Amino acid sequence: KQRRKGGSGRSGKMERPALHPHPLMSFKDTRGRFGISSRLAANLNEQGYSVPTEVQMGALPILLDASEQYLGHDIPLSAETDRRSSPNLLTVAPTGSGKTLAFMIPLLHRVQSRRHRDQHPTRTVCAIVLAPTKELVGQITNEGRKVTKGTGVSVTQLRKGMRLRPTRLSESKAKDTSSPNPTGGEPTVVKADVLICTPGLLHSMLNDEHNPAQDALADVRDLVLDEADVLLDPLFREQTLGVWHRIVSPRLSVSLWSATMGSNIEELAISTIKDWREKLSMQNRE
Ligand code: ADP
Ligand code: MG
């Protein structure tokens, strides 16, 4: 079941789009239809992915469409922006139905296209995937890495001891490495296009006064909440929102993925997006 907000102009309500894009019937079509890189397409093929699962058939066209349409356009937040902002997607599909690839492929495509278009020189975090446990974070990272071989996109699991790179830090100052420093010396700087983590770890890093990373999330355009019903439940909600509210791009696209429709996830998603938007427009007015 999918719902998408976009194009309606009325805030506060996720509505079905007038028209769903045509389902993706084969991974081969991702190249012709959405222009994903030959390398990414080859990796999918090599991993034995040929027929998308049902949730992938539905979600991939929505998210891949959006990545072309909205790429890299930072325009000030206004009623008009709000109306044209990138789609937020809530997807509910059973465990084992292939949700990971459904959000991962569009993220990878978006990073690749953005880098190609902007000739993005430095490696800063463009996308964040939050999941409730370290085990899940590891699984998502593995799944992502399987299909990034040779694409130049780095998918990194955030670990204790890593340091977030402030976005404006020059290349020369930052030591690029994606492994934590076991000797306990200078913390290593996270090298990641797509950062995968639990909300608790990222939230505590963002609030670490010894390693201020004020604008570390300045380039983030995609936020994925995997197991969103859990991430928005009372146990994780504060940390999840703590991360979300540090993302400042009005062009942020949020997708929420869940195996169950329980605990009024749709209302939660809508109200959370609304709160974030209000906070952002208040900040922009200051
Ligand atoms: P979910 O997150 O919905 O519970 P996963 O993303 O973990 O499901 O996927 C479950 C398994 O299905 C994984 O091992 C994954 O590699 C496999 N898988 C995903 N998409 C496909 C596909 N299109 N064809 C074959 N296997 C797939
Ligand atoms: Mg999953």
Side-chain angles (χ1 to χ4, degrees):
K1 180 173 180 184
Q2 293 152 29
R3 297 204 174 179
R4 172 194 189 189
K5 180 180 186 295
S8 79
R10 271 162 288 161
S11 60
K13 188 103 185 103
M14 275 195 191
E15 291 173 353
R16 280 180 188 287
L19 215 63
H20 271 294
H22 190 67
L24 182 78
M25 302 313 284
S26 158
F27 279 114
K28 284 207 179 81
D29 299 343
T30 47
R31 186 145 165 73
R33 206 171 142 193
F34 303 108
I36 75 161
S37 71
S38 54
R39 190 66 239 193
L40 184 50
N43 289 349
L44 290 169
N45 187 41
E46 269 169 40
Q47 288 299 322
Y49 300 129
S50 57
V51 181
T53 63
E54 201 175 336
V55 66
Q56 293 162 356
M57 283 181 189
L60 282 169
I62 294 173
L63 293 170
L64 286 168
D65 245 354
S67 68
E68 274 309 297
Q69 208 172 333
Y70 298 106
L71 203 72
H73 295 288
D74 286 303
I75 47 179
L77 196 70
S78 64
E80 179 66 7
T81 318
D82 199 40
R83 203 157 60 78
R84 290 189 291 143
S85 62
S86 42
N88 299 312
L89 183 74
L90 168 61
T91 308
V92 179
T95 303
S97 60
K99 294 191 286 297
T100 316
L101 269 187
F103 61 70
M104 196 54 86
I105 293 170
L107 294 186
L108 303 176
H109 173 59
R110 194 129 99 125
V111 173
Q112 278 201 299
S113 335
R114 206 176 148 191
R115 202 180 270 166
H116 180 73
R117 193 171 301 183
D118 304 352
Q119 297 180 336
H120 226 276
T122 54
R123 184 164 268 175
T124 55
V125 179
C126 297
I128 294 176
V129 179
L130 297 179
T133 66
K134 218 165 105 182
E135 290 66 35
L136 268 170
V137 166
Q139 284 168 24
I140 298 166
T141 310
N142 289 340
E143 187 89 0
R145 287 203 170 147
K146 278 191 207 162
V147 291
T148 47
K149 205 177 48 168
T151 58
V153 179
S154 68
V155 173
T156 301
Q157 173 171 0
L158 187 68
R159 293 177 194 278
K160 279 197 184 115
M162 288 181 174
R163 185 161 63 86
L164 294 168
R165 179 220 295 271
T167 305
R168 313 284 167 232
L169 192 69
S170 72
E171 274 293 297
S172 59
K173 282 192 208 153
K175 187 166 155 263
D176 262 349
T177 164
S178 48
S179 58
N181 187 349
T183 62
E186 259 303 283
T188 54
V189 175
V190 173
K191 180 181 91 173
D193 300 301
V194 179
L195 186 65
I196 324 239
C197 50
T198 59
L201 183 57
L202 182 53
H203 188 235
S204 67
M205 277 192 190
L206 289 169
N207 292 302
D208 179 0
E209 50 193 43
H210 301 296
N211 279 312
Q214 280 309 320
D215 65 346
L217 306 190
D219 280 340
V220 173
R221 296 291 183 280
D222 283 278
L223 175 65
V224 172
L225 266 53
D226 195 16
E227 314 267 339
D229 52 329
V230 181
L231 289 177
L232 293 177
D233 84 9
L235 196 64
F236 288 92
R237 186 172 169 80
E238 200 182 317
Q239 295 168 333
T240 302
L241 297 191
V243 171
W244 189 336
H245 284 189
R246 291 291 287 269
I247 302 176
V248 290
S249 171
R251 308 240 38 101
L252 178 70
S253 165
V254 186
S255 65
L256 301 98
W257 305 77
S258 169
T260 101
M261 253 329 252
S263 64
N264 63 347
I265 179 157
E266 189 169 3
E267 286 76 26
L268 266 178
I270 292 166
S271 68
T272 312
I273 288 170
K274 198 163 159 261
D275 291 350
W276 173 75
R277 285 234 171 96
E278 273 165 15
K279 200 171 161 204
L280 199 63
S281 61
M282 247 149 63
Q283 276 170 3
N284 286 359
R285 272 202 296 270
E286 273 165 12

